[in-house]
Amino acid sequence: MKLKLALAALALSAATAQAQTIVDIAAGDERFTTLVAAVTAAGLAETLAGPGPFTVYAPVNDAFAALPAGTVDTLLKPENKGQLTDVLLYHVDDRNLPAAGIPNGSTTFKPLLTSQRLCITKGADGVTIADGTGEVANVIIADIQASNGVIHVIDKVLLPGQRPACH
């Protein structure tokens, strides 16, 4: 009987974990405290907790810390909500795109910030994402599954700008 109860509790726990949204997962992970603060300040938490599907390229705290001094504090100010929203939407794709679904080679992708593009390159060394500044983020953890999509953890904040060269 105890074994059956333990197995039932384990199954319930797994189902609960599997039912977590992208926002739930990010909020429960210390590596994403800056991202969660930014998503909350931009008013995007409800959207990203919605049905999706979404693919989120989620920068870790160290990626935000690597931005020029004062950048994060400036973006988090209420008067800069539009700019913050643009930066965050540049990290979101409106489909569920696991790493296996990214084609080999370089491909241009359209994030939710529809006037912009990203160049995602998949090769033997992994997956990289070129942004509008010409800088490249590395996917350091792929395929964190959520109930409404997938998270790929990246080591750089993606910034809009020029359309990246994608060859």
Side-chain angles (χ1 to χ4, degrees), residues 90 117 129-137 156 159-165:
Y90 197 52
R117 298 291 183 267
I129 306 167
D131 68 8
T133 68
E135 298 290 322
V136 175
K156 180 195 172 302
L159 297 172
Q162 299 293 319
R163 186 176 186 141

Side-chain angles (χ1 to χ4, degrees), residues 57-147:
Y57 305 102
V60 292
N61 293 336
D62 288 345
F64 283 99
L67 292 170
T71 301
V72 173
D73 291 335
T74 299
L75 285 171
L76 291 175
K77 290 181 179 177
E79 62 268 23
N80 297 323
K81 183 177 179 180
Q83 186 179 5
L84 176 62
T85 301
D86 287 349
V87 169
L88 292 172
L89 292 179
Y90 197 52
H91 292 79
V92 182
D93 192 319
D94 64 353
R95 38 189 182 152
N96 186 343
L97 186 64
I102 299 171
N104 287 324
S106 295
T107 308
T108 300
F109 281 85
K110 186 180 85 167
L112 286 182
L113 182 58
T114 58
S115 65
Q116 299 286 318
R117 298 291 183 267
L118 294 168
C119 180
I120 300 180
T121 302
K122 182 178 178 182
D125 293 334
V127 176
T128 60
I129 306 167
D131 68 8
T133 68
E135 298 290 322
V136 175
N138 297 294
V139 174
I140 55 177
I141 301 171
D143 295 336
I144 299 174
Q145 295 298 314
S147 62

Side-chain angles (χ1 to χ4, degrees), residues 12-33:
L12 180 59
S13 166
T16 302
Q18 193 174 26
Q20 289 186 313
T21 67
I22 287 169
V23 172
D24 295 332
I25 291 168
D29 190 322
E30 289 296 316
R31 296 173 293 187
F32 301 121
T33 55

